[in-house]
Amino acid sequence: MNLDIPLSLYIHFPWCVKKCPYCDFNSHSQRGELPERAYVDALIQDFRQQLTTLGERKIETIFMGGGTPSLISPKEIARLLTSIQTSGQLKADAEITLEANPGALDEGHLSGYRQAGVNRVSIGVQSFDDNLLQKIGRIHSASNAVNAVKLAKQAGFERINLDLMYGLPEQSLQGARDDLEQVFALDTEHLSVYQLTIEPNTEFAARTPILPTSDQYWQMHEQTQQLTQQAGFEQYEVSAYSRGGKEAQCKHNVNYWQFGDYLAIGAGAHGKLSGVDEEGVLQIKRYWNQRHPKAYLAAAETGAFSAETKTVLPAEHDFEFLMNALRLKQGFIESQYLARTQGNISGLMSLLKPFFEKGWLIQTDKQIYASTEGYRYLDSILMACLPEVSE
């Protein structure tokens, strides 16, 4: 059975110059020289081991995240991508994204990444206010961020995303507006905007700074909606905006939200793969790798990179699909739902009926998506769809 499910590859680089106080990702402060060659060797070994599960499926996108991937030299990124390309599993026109920190970026690195095959760069700006950057523990300045965008363009990158945050400690509504205006002035094609949230087991959770009120958060959110639209950006997902239509969207992230599959290599990386058993029944598994860089590197001796694998039960398929697909403004089509869950469309419609009646969800020509009001209440919709699963 040929699964009609796109396949991506996520590659995790776990090191940062310094851990940000709000970050709950698997990132570790750099201590001395990075073992980048040994780590890339491990990534290549991990990837080759997973090739046996792919059959004829091709990888359509690659995303190198972290941590700070731009701490890794262009030479090692090139060696990694060359190994992936020579496997024969990568599509010739694959989108290949690398996350970069403006404080760990220069012209030589950017040019080297572009020559290595990276064709999209995502720059973690967060703010253009030096005072706010200091409050959230970033190592770069506003001028570093502006310069990074200029250097990326000079290196030949046409696809550039900027990450921005709002609701920062003591940030004003005007301050959030100023950040957006600076993004627009840099004339990039993609923007990701996130509200600062306090996550458990972070420095901010232990010592929470003074944050905007809930009303101020909402005003910043509404301001973001208004100003991005005026600047020609179209919101296509909860936190993602593109200028230039579908081609400007992040294809890798869209695959996540459409409940696609993705391999995962690197310390703590999470993957999702679908297959069918002998009776043609869909099997979905999630897996994650050894979390600590030292444990991941040590796993190269045995090949035991994966720390745990979990089967997604059939009763969970609908919820997991909706949790991703409803984040997209366009929602999903019935055939997509059927191909990626083997679910029952009548049962799904029954589950969602209360939200159609409320006007929170809309169905047109088999397309199902959240209304403007429903987009505000996605959490409520999903909580009502949460399955009862016994262990």
Side-chain angles (χ1 to χ4, degrees):
M1 178 179 178
N2 183 27
L3 287 173
D4 183 24
I5 302 178
L7 179 67
S8 294
L9 169 63
Y10 175 70
I11 307 172
H12 191 75
F13 293 90
W15 295 285
C16 288
V17 173
K18 185 180 75 169
K19 180 87 171 179
C20 294
Y22 57 84
C23 178
D24 69 337
F25 293 165
N26 183 32
S27 60
H28 304 262
S29 296
Q30 180 179 353
R31 303 254 194 272
E33 186 176 352
L34 295 180
E36 62 173 15
R37 183 168 184 82
Y39 191 74
V40 169
D41 284 343
L43 291 174
I44 292 171
Q45 181 183 343
D46 191 359
F47 176 71
R48 288 175 177 169
Q49 287 180 192
Q50 294 191 48
L51 284 180
T52 59
T53 66
L54 300 188
E56 297 181 357
R57 299 178 73 183
K58 299 290 186 182
I59 296 167
E60 300 185 14
T61 69
I62 295 175
F63 195 101
M64 290 175 273
T68 306
S70 55
L71 289 176
I72 306 300
S73 68
K75 177 183 176 181
E76 289 302 318
I77 295 295
R79 187 163 70 91
L80 172 61
L81 292 179
T82 297
S83 180
I84 294 169
Q85 290 161 348
T86 55
S87 72
Q89 299 287 157
L90 183 66
K91 282 194 171 183
D93 61 348
E95 174 192 87
I96 303 176
T97 302
L98 182 136
E99 284 187 334
N101 186 324
L105 208 56
D106 58 36
E107 184 176 4
H109 274 69
L110 284 163
S111 296
Y113 296 141
R114 188 69 190 91
Q115 292 170 13
V118 178
N119 52 32
R120 183 176 182 273
V121 64
S122 179
I123 302 175
V125 172
Q126 315 314 349
S127 177
F128 292 95
D129 183 315
D130 285 337
N131 182 48
L132 291 180
L133 288 170
Q134 187 175 25
K135 287 180 184 294
I136 62 172
R138 302 295 291 184
I139 65 169
H140 69 273
S141 66
S143 61
N144 289 152
V146 171
N147 193 48
V149 176
K150 293 178 179 177
L151 291 177
K153 290 183 177 181
Q154 291 173 12
F157 285 99
E158 297 178 355
R159 305 200 64 196
I160 301 172
N161 169 67
L162 301 184
D163 278 348
L164 203 63
M165 298 176 73
Y166 68 88
L168 303 180
E170 301 180 47
Q171 185 180 37
S172 67
L173 185 62
Q174 182 61 47
R177 183 187 186 100
D178 291 342
D179 278 346
L180 285 167
E181 295 290 357
Q182 178 63 78
V183 168
F184 303 151
L186 290 171
D187 194 29
T188 54
E189 64 155 18
H190 197 279
L191 171 63
S192 300
V193 186
Y194 306 98
Q195 175 185 314
L196 174 64
T197 55
I198 305 301
E199 302 291 350
N201 303 315
T202 62
E203 185 179 330
F204 273 0
R207 291 178 291 276
T208 305
I210 299 173
L211 298 173
T213 65
S214 56
D215 285 345
Q216 289 172 322
Y217 273 131
W218 182 249
Q219 289 172 345
M220 291 177 187
H221 170 77
E222 291 286 277
Q223 176 176 258
T224 299
Q225 305 294 300
Q226 179 183 8
L227 294 181
T228 50
Q229 186 175 20
Q230 291 174 359
F233 281 87
E234 178 185 358
Q235 184 183 21
Y236 67 94
E237 188 269 342
V238 170
S239 59
Y241 304 77
S242 66
R243 182 161 53 186
K246 188 175 181 179
E247 287 306 306
Q249 296 178 5
C250 178
K251 295 179 176 62
H252 185 90
N253 286 345
V254 168
N255 187 40
Y256 288 159
W257 298 319
Q258 291 181 336
F259 208 47
D261 282 351
Y262 44 97
L263 297 175
I265 60 176
H270 286 232
K272 168 187 174 282
L273 286 176
S274 303
V276 291
D277 62 18
E278 294 179 353
E279 298 178 354
V281 177
L282 183 69
Q283 304 288 322
I284 300 174
K285 73 171 184 177
R286 293 192 180 276
Y287 64 97
W288 46 97
N289 289 339
Q290 300 289 346
R291 181 175 175 84
H292 199 280
K294 289 183 179 179
Y296 184 80
L297 286 166
E301 296 182 8
T302 61
F305 295 106
S306 178
E308 192 170 346
T309 299
K310 174 195 172 187
T311 298
V312 181
L313 300 176
E316 300 172 299
H317 289 187
D318 280 6
F319 175 75
E320 290 222 3
F321 178 85
L322 292 171
M323 182 172 61
N324 289 280
L326 288 179
R327 292 178 63 96
L328 290 166
K329 278 284 189 178
Q330 68 179 22
F332 62 93
I333 56 176
E334 289 184 14
S335 60
Q336 195 175 72
Y337 162 75
L338 293 170
R340 298 179 192 188
T341 68
Q342 275 193 355
N344 182 299
I345 194 66
S346 297
L348 181 69
M349 291 299 100
S350 177
L351 182 67
L352 299 180
K353 183 179 178 182
F355 307 110
F356 290 122
E357 293 174 347
K358 283 177 178 284
W360 289 5
L361 293 179
I362 297 172
Q363 181 180 20
T364 59
D365 298 328
K366 297 187 178 181
Q367 191 90 15
I368 298 168
Y369 60 94
S371 65
T372 300
E373 183 181 14
Y375 221 49
R376 294 176 55 183
Y377 296 105
L378 282 183
D379 286 347
S380 297
I381 295 172
L382 292 172
M383 286 301 294
C385 297
L386 193 65
E388 294 183 9
V389 178
S390 58
E391 295 293 337

